[in-house]
């Protein structure tokens, strides 16, 4: 599409979410998740700039800007292409951006990406006639072709409109060599908007790997990124970190990967590279509970890792088996114990609200969260992302209605269970969070840890009041 030489890439003003396709969680209401910069937009913008485009990126929810602001930007910037990133809970609202754009310029090419299109592309394009192209799967190569190829029928991995018909092109294979990706266009981001929840220092995301060989029933990772783990080289990752430090003055990072700690030698190789370059950064990432050991954690700590997130999911082993977690309660105990030994904080994520969970099972999970004595926890409520086994299960059991998808998310449930209404699940989530964070021993520990660190102490106090005031 070489005719279009200006592109506006956006997170629509439809809600503050993590929009990396696998993780589609709301930011507001989570206990320890900061807003993340729009890395997917930055990658696509970098691809477009490489093809001669002038690009602008706007994260309207984080910038606290409105639909009217979007309309004003479209009028002022006059892009030939509008690109938006969607998530399942907000996709209906997100695509209103295409209507806004077409009313201003009927010739504009409207493009959307998001996991929802992997399963519902035709349906959503029939519903939203102002959307011209939906990208299914990884977006960078598809965006390159959209920038350089006039004939949409030759672009794999997209669904598009042609003379009133919706055309579903063949799937695009996953990108094998992540080192071939360009650097994300961080110069187009307002990097000051994204801050660590404790220190309030700038933070950004580094894409390190994609793919996961596991198949948890609630997770869309296999559809989004495949079951083969593809990693970037430690040198390329360290180059990007170094650029962030020197050019953008950012020293705090979230290393994004579907299975960061799966390959021990790769992890240690990256840590060695960070240490060798004396980068002196602070970073966190996610891990499975069964894929860490002493040597790996020692290198992670040495290179600046200060926190690890673990998907514990449940304190009931039968539930872990049913959701195909392929991990045990003892794996979780060991992982938290190892992190404590290496002075790496832990952020433990749990899920409640699976169809078979009665109050006893939920309370086992709440009790287990306190037994582990992690540093931070979050409790999500099971949400039926299309394409997952949990979606099919909940739909077959008649536990939610399709039209409810847009009214819920991981903290606002739509799936009823055999034992709980959605209102009861919300109350159980609140009880779980408060019973963890309001323990006197926990509060005292946080206060003692942050004496002499006034900025962090104030952040914890502010967050505590928000938790107490949450509905």
């Amino acid at each position: 599409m070489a005719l279009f030489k200006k592109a506006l890439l956006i997170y629509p003003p439809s809600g503050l979410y993590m929009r990396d396709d696998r993780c589609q969680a709301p930011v507001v209401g989570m206990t320890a998740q900061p807003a993340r910069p729009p890395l997917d937009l930055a990658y696509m913008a970098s691809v477009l700039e490489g093809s001669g485009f002038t690009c602008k990126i706007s994260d309207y929810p984080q910038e606290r800007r409105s639909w009217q602001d979007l309309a004003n930007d479209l009028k002022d910037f006059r892009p030939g292409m509008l690109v938006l990133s969607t998530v399942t809970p907000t996709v209906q609202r997100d695509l209103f951006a295409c209507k806004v754009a077409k009313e201003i310029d009927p010739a504009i090419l409207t493009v959307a990406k998001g996991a929802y299109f992997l399963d519902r592309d035709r349906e959503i394009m029939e519903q939203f006639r102002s959307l011209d192209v939906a990208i299914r799967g990884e977006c960078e190569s598809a965006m390159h072709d959209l920038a350089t190829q006039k004939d949409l029928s030759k672009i794999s991995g997209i669904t598009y409109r042609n003379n009133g018909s919706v055309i579903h092109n063949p799937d695009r294979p996953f990108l094998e060599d992540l080192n071939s990706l360009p650097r994300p266009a961080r110069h187009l981001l307002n990097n000051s908007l994204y801050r660590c929840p404790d220190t309030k220092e700038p933070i950004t995301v580094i894409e390190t790997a994609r793919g996961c060989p596991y198949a948890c029933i609630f997770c869309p990772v296999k559809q989004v990124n495949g079951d083969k783990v593809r990693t970037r080289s430690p040198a390329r990752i360290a180059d990007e970190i170094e650029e962030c430090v020197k050019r953008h003055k950012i020293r705090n990072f979230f290393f994004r990967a579907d299975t960061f700690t799966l390959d021990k030698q790769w992890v240690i190789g990256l840590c060695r590279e960070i240490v060798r370059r004396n980068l002196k950064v602070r970073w966190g990432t996610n891990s499975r509970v069964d894929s860490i050991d002493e040597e790996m954690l020692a290198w992670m700590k040495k290179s600046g890792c200060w926190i690890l997130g673990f998907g514990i999911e449940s304190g009931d082993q039968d539930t872990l088996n049913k959701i195909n977690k392929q991990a045990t309660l003892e794996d979780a105990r060991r992982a938290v114990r190892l992190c404590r030994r290496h002075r790496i904080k832990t952020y433990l994520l749990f899920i409640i609200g699976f169809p078979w969970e009665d109050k006893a099972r939920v309370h086992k999970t709440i009790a287990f969260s306190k037994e582990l004595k992690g540093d931070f926890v979050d409790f999500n409520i099971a949400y039926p992302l299309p394409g997952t086994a949990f979606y099919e299960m909940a739909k077959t059991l008649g536990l939610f209605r399709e039209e409810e998808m847009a009214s819920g998310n991981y903290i606002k449930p739509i799936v009823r269970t055999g034992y709980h209404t959605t209102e009861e699940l919300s109350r159980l989530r609140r009880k779980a969070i408060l019973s963890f964070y309001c323990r006197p021993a926990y509060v005292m520990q946080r206060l003692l840890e942050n004496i002499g660190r006034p900025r962090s102490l104030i952040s914890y106090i502010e967050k505590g009041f928000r938790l107490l005031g949450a509905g």
Side-chain angles (χ1 to χ4, degrees):
M1 281 295 175
L3 292 175
F4 302 100
K5 288 299 184 180
K6 292 175 72 175
L8 176 62
L9 301 96
I10 69 168
Y11 281 4
S14 53
L16 195 57
Y17 278 75
M18 288 175 277
R19 295 175 180 256
D20 65 2
D21 289 348
R22 175 187 176 178
C23 183
Q24 302 180 49
V27 174
V28 177
M30 304 290 279
T31 68
Q33 287 278 14
R36 298 179 185 176
L39 199 66
D40 53 351
L41 301 183
Y43 268 116
M44 288 189 287
S46 184
V47 169
L48 290 171
E49 286 186 330
S51 297
F53 277 64
T54 299
C55 296
K56 179 178 179 181
I57 294 176
S58 289
D59 180 352
Y60 288 94
Q62 186 64 11
E63 295 165 7
R64 293 176 172 80
R65 300 175 70 215
S66 67
W67 289 104
Q68 185 58 54
D69 292 316
L70 169 59
N72 292 339
D73 288 346
L74 287 163
K75 292 173 184 176
D76 293 341
F77 187 55
R78 305 301 295 183
M81 182 189 295
L82 175 70
V83 182
L84 54 143
S85 180
T86 70
V87 287
T88 297
T90 65
V91 67
Q92 304 279 336
R93 301 192 297 277
D94 292 335
L95 293 175
F96 180 66
C98 299
K99 184 174 185 293
V100 173
K102 290 288 189 180
E103 288 176 351
I104 293 168
D105 178 7
I108 193 171
L109 182 72
T110 55
V111 182
K113 51 87 53 181
Y116 193 81
F117 302 122
L118 289 167
D119 191 64
R120 303 297 176 79
D121 55 323
R122 289 189 177 91
E123 172 188 316
I124 204 74
M125 292 196 71
E126 291 289 356
Q127 183 179 355
F128 291 90
R129 309 295 293 180
S130 54
L131 174 62
D132 295 320
V133 178
I135 297 176
R136 309 187 316 269
E138 292 177 319
C139 57
E140 297 89 0
S141 297
M143 186 54 62
H144 173 269
D145 289 352
L146 284 169
T148 58
Q149 172 62 258
K150 292 182 180 181
D151 187 352
L152 296 181
S153 69
K154 296 181 179 179
I155 302 176
S156 60
I158 69 166
T159 304
Y160 69 100
R161 204 177 306 283
N162 182 30
N163 294 325
S165 299
V166 173
I167 311 298
H168 177 105
N169 286 354
D171 292 341
R172 181 183 295 271
F174 291 112
L175 182 65
E176 286 293 327
D177 181 15
L178 296 187
N179 288 323
S180 66
L181 289 171
R183 297 262 183 92
R186 285 196 173 84
H187 59 282
L188 298 178
L189 303 177
N190 183 351
N191 293 293
S192 66
L193 287 174
Y194 310 97
R195 302 275 175 170
C196 295
D198 55 345
T199 66
K200 304 303 182 185
E201 295 173 344
I203 186 171
T204 195
V205 178
I206 302 285
E207 182 94 7
T208 63
R210 295 177 184 175
C212 178
Y214 297 91
C216 301
I217 68 169
F218 55 85
C219 182
V221 66
K222 284 205 171 186
Q223 293 87 354
V224 169
N225 285 328
D227 54 12
K228 178 183 176 182
V229 179
R230 297 159 289 142
T231 56
R232 295 175 64 199
S233 71
R236 290 295 292 268
I237 297 170
D239 287 343
E240 189 174 334
I241 295 169
E242 195 164 4
E243 178 188 64
C244 289
V245 171
K246 292 180 177 178
R247 181 176 177 183
H248 301 292
K249 311 304 179 188
I250 300 173
R251 290 189 174 274
N252 295 271
F253 300 91
F254 175 71
F255 290 171
R256 193 206 167 282
D258 297 311
T259 48
F260 183 84
T261 54
L262 193 64
D263 184 340
K264 175 180 174 178
Q265 295 309 313
W266 174 79
V267 172
I268 291 176
L270 174 57
C271 295
R272 286 181 185 272
E273 190 67 17
I274 293 171
V275 171
R276 184 185 70 80
R277 300 191 192 199
N278 196 31
L279 293 177
K280 297 188 183 305
V281 294
R282 185 173 182 257
W283 61 273
T285 191
N286 292 329
S287 172
R288 284 182 57 88
V289 294
D290 58 355
S291 61
I292 57 173
D293 64 19
E294 297 272 9
E295 184 183 13
M296 182 190 295
L297 289 177
W299 272 105
M300 291 171 69
K301 179 66 177 180
K302 188 175 181 179
S303 65
C305 180
W306 76 280
I307 189 167
L308 266 181
F310 292 102
I312 307 292
E313 319 308 4
S314 179
D316 175 56
Q317 187 61 54
D318 184 55
T319 291
L320 291 179
N321 296 341
K322 281 182 165 66
I323 65 175
N324 199 31
K325 186 65 184 179
Q326 298 184 49
T328 67
L329 299 179
E330 189 51 43
D331 288 331
R333 295 185 180 101
R334 174 182 172 273
V336 176
R337 191 164 58 242
L338 282 174
C339 286
R340 191 176 299 119
R341 187 179 304 162
H342 288 272
R343 294 176 293 112
I344 295 175
K345 294 189 182 300
T346 52
Y347 175 34
L348 311 181
L349 294 113
F350 297 89
I351 301 175
I352 61 173
F354 291 110
W356 57 84
E357 286 191 302
D358 56 15
K359 282 188 170 63
R361 290 180 191 255
V362 173
H363 284 125
K364 284 174 73 173
T365 294
I366 296 172
F368 193 56
S369 75
K370 291 181 279 192
E371 176 200 327
L372 291 176
K373 297 180 180 178
D375 295 283
F376 310 99
V377 302
D378 250 319
F379 287 83
N380 294 328
I381 303 174
Y383 180 78
L385 289 170
T388 64
F390 175 60
Y391 172 90
E392 296 299 333
M393 177 189 298
K395 185 177 180 181
T396 300
L397 294 172
L399 298 177
F400 76 101
R401 296 189 305 273
E402 193 71 27
E403 58 268 25
E404 295 174 308
M405 293 290 294
S407 64
N409 54 43
Y410 288 114
I411 62 176
K412 187 180 178 184
I414 62 169
V415 175
R416 300 163 289 281
T417 77
Y419 303 91
H420 302 107
T421 65
T422 55
E423 292 79 10
E424 288 171 334
L425 288 171
S426 292
R427 287 195 292 270
L428 281 168
R429 177 181 185 269
R430 175 173 166 78
K431 175 183 177 181
I433 290 172
L434 292 180
S435 68
F436 180 89
Y437 283 108
C438 293
R439 292 170 295 151
Y442 179 86
V443 174
M444 184 59 65
Q445 180 186 358
R446 294 279 87 79
L447 291 173
L448 291 174
E449 282 180 354
N450 289 283
I451 289 176
R453 301 174 64 211
R455 184 178 294 181
S456 293
L457 185 59
I458 291 170
S459 295
Y460 282 118
I461 292 171
E462 289 176 345
K463 190 67 176 180
F465 278 116
R466 284 198 293 271
L467 284 173
L468 289 171

